[in-house]
Amino acid sequence: MGLLFEAPSPGQGFSLTKPGGGLPNHYYFSEEIFALERRSLWCQVWLCVGREADIPNPGDYLTCMVGDQPMLVIRNNDGGLRSFHNVCPHRGARMLKGQGHCNRIICPYHGWNFDREGQLRGLPRADCFPNLDQSTTHLLPGRVDTWGGFIFIHPESTGESLSDYLAGFSAYLEQYEQAWEELQEVDRWSYEEPANWKFPIENYLECYHLPVVHAQSLQCFDPRAIEYTPTGQHYQIAVPWTAADSVEAHPAFPGQPKHRSYQGFIFPNLMVNTAREMVSVFKLTPLTPETTQFEVLIYQTPIQMTAFPYKQETFRSEFDRVLQEDFAAVRSLQVGVHSKAYQVQLAADLEFGITHFHQVLSAYLIGQ
């Protein structure tokens, strides 16, 4: 096991503490820790930013924030994907907004424009830049790669590959009977929760609360038979459905009796859940030290669309009921973390996912 750490004092390094006791309470509301995470974590990992189907044609693009780094992904003329920092090398203006299509990446401030490979192709009043070598002027590249139709980007141009980063997690998900590449988005919605981003993740990573918080809503699962497997920085959660025939008609997580739902956490902010009729993905974005956007994305393959037509109003209502049970617990944690009585005693097995998460997080914040 690794060691956890406490917040550094100004001008000092990290001090270490024994694992198993959780993070100090100010890690859930400190502005300084929030800034440290943006700098040392979110800009140093592969992050899922969409699906290949979101930008199917040359010139299609999407934009996103990776920590405090504005980024873009564009499909080039050959059909491949390129990722760039969404910043003009002239004065730093934002190049593109939202999602759309363009023939050139054009700066809206002074009109500098770049091709889909990021190379400068148009420079208004070029005579005013006599010392600028246009052949070597380009957008700063990041990295982009895909798995299962999902687009991942990294703001650094070199480093660990996506395959190495996923560390076998993709092979685990490929046990699901549907083809991940064929998934199509059928719904998405989001919540803005008054909680630090780490609390929803910690809630997801442990099954100890299931018989209490979800006593009625998730009777389809057998919490005593859940299998947890740390995989690199991530966490596999194989959740068996019970033997009851009623699991096939469960309104939120329909399955097959005695089969598994392949669930799990892809560090730092993605949670994946398979069901008979669909795949649900939770994507978390920290907004402030005590506010998190919790996005829900629902996917089906064409086979699932035909066999199980998606009924948005009914499904959203039932899925929201389960999520609100978790959100109520997470909100109470955010209130409790400010208490002088706050302390943590993690169960060695049932809550080991939290310990693993803290160990991975600590490696980034310490700077390893």
Side-chain angles (χ1 to χ4, degrees):
M1 298 295 179
L3 294 176
L4 303 181
F5 57 93
E6 295 179 353
S9 300
Q12 297 180 351
F14 289 93
S15 59
L16 302 176
T17 186
K18 294 180 180 179
L23 297 173
N25 63 338
H26 52 279
Y27 272 72
Y28 299 92
F29 56 79
S30 164
E31 291 281 358
E32 290 76 16
I33 295 300
F34 187 74
L36 176 62
E37 290 171 344
R38 285 171 64 88
R39 181 175 67 251
S40 300
L41 168 62
W42 295 99
C43 293
Q44 302 298 326
V45 293
W46 284 94
L47 289 176
C48 180
V49 298
R51 295 279 297 173
E52 287 198 76
D54 296 335
I55 48 175
N57 303 309
D60 290 349
Y61 68 85
L62 60 83
T63 64
C64 58
M65 292 295 295
V66 177
D68 59 0
Q69 298 298 302
M71 303 289 295
L72 68 88
V73 178
I74 189 167
R75 194 169 291 278
N76 64 19
N77 296 338
D78 296 330
L81 297 176
R82 295 296 307 270
S83 175
F84 301 103
H85 288 256
N86 192 14
V87 172
C88 183
H90 170 217
R91 294 271 299 279
R94 188 79 57 94
M95 302 291 288
L96 299 175
K97 294 182 179 179
Q99 183 174 332
H101 177 89
C102 65
N103 293 320
R104 290 278 182 92
I105 303 171
I106 302 175
C107 178
Y109 195 11
H110 297 97
W112 286 36
N113 57 92
F114 303 78
D115 63 22
R116 296 165 184 171
E117 298 294 333
Q119 186 63 44
L120 180 65
R121 295 302 181 194
L123 177 59
R125 296 297 305 275
D127 58 299
C128 295
F129 299 89
N131 298 318
L132 180 69
D133 184 351
Q134 296 186 42
S135 67
T136 61
T137 302
H138 53 76
L139 300 179
L140 182 67
R143 279 178 292 154
V144 59
D145 204 345
T146 63
W147 173 81
F150 291 99
I151 300 172
F152 290 79
I153 67 171
H154 197 297
E156 300 295 331
S157 59
T158 61
E160 182 181 34
S161 70
L162 175 63
S163 177
D164 289 343
Y165 181 78
L166 292 177
F169 195 93
S170 54
Y172 159 73
L173 290 180
E174 286 163 6
Q175 297 176 85
Y176 185 47
E177 58 269 22
Q178 300 292 328
W180 290 88
E181 290 81 5
E182 296 180 7
L183 291 175
Q184 299 178 29
E185 183 181 315
V186 295
D187 202 2
R188 98 165 44 198
W189 69 96
S190 65
Y191 306 85
E192 189 170 306
E193 283 300 307
N196 181 272
W197 67 278
K198 294 184 285 294
F199 275 140
I201 291 171
E202 292 170 9
N203 177 76
Y204 181 86
L205 289 172
E206 54 98 344
C207 65
Y208 195 20
H209 73 283
L210 294 186
V212 180
V213 174
H214 304 298
Q216 300 300 319
S217 61
L218 291 183
Q219 290 183 342
C220 58
F221 294 134
D222 182 358
R224 292 184 176 274
I226 295 175
E227 296 179 7
Y228 295 94
T229 306
T231 305
Q233 300 179 73
H234 322 295
Y235 210 63
Q236 301 173 9
I237 309 174
V239 185
W241 280 284
T242 66
D245 292 339
S246 60
V247 303
E248 294 184 354
H250 191 276
F253 285 99
Q256 296 174 276
K258 297 184 179 181
H259 283 63
R260 290 182 175 185
S261 171
Y262 296 101
Q263 304 181 15
F265 170 60
I266 299 177
F267 186 87
N269 69 331
L270 207 66
M271 289 157 273
V272 182
N273 317 281
T274 69
R276 181 189 58 175
E277 300 179 6
M278 68 199 67
V279 170
S280 58
V281 173
F282 306 148
K283 182 180 177 182
L284 274 62
T285 303
L287 301 178
T288 74
E290 298 188 73
T291 312
T292 301
Q293 181 188 55
F294 189 104
E295 190 171 13
V296 181
L297 302 105
I298 306 298
Y299 301 97
Q300 289 183 310
T301 63
I303 291 174
Q304 291 172 321
M305 291 177 182
T306 300
F308 311 106
Y310 183 71
K311 300 177 182 178
Q312 183 187 79
E313 184 176 354
T314 302
F315 180 79
R316 276 198 187 189
S317 175
E318 294 295 338
F319 210 73
D320 177 75
R321 184 164 67 97
V322 177
L323 290 176
Q324 291 299 335
E325 293 171 346
D326 286 316
F327 292 157
V330 166
R331 292 174 196 137
S332 73
L333 293 175
Q334 191 64 47
V335 174
V337 80
H338 288 276
S339 170
K340 293 181 179 179
Y342 179 80
Q343 58 180 316
V344 177
Q345 302 292 331
L346 294 175
D349 295 324
L350 296 177
E351 296 176 303
F352 177 72
I354 299 175
T355 300
H356 180 262
F357 172 54
H358 290 170
Q359 292 168 347
V360 174
L361 177 65
S362 72
Y364 282 94
L365 301 192
I366 289 173
Q368 296 178 352

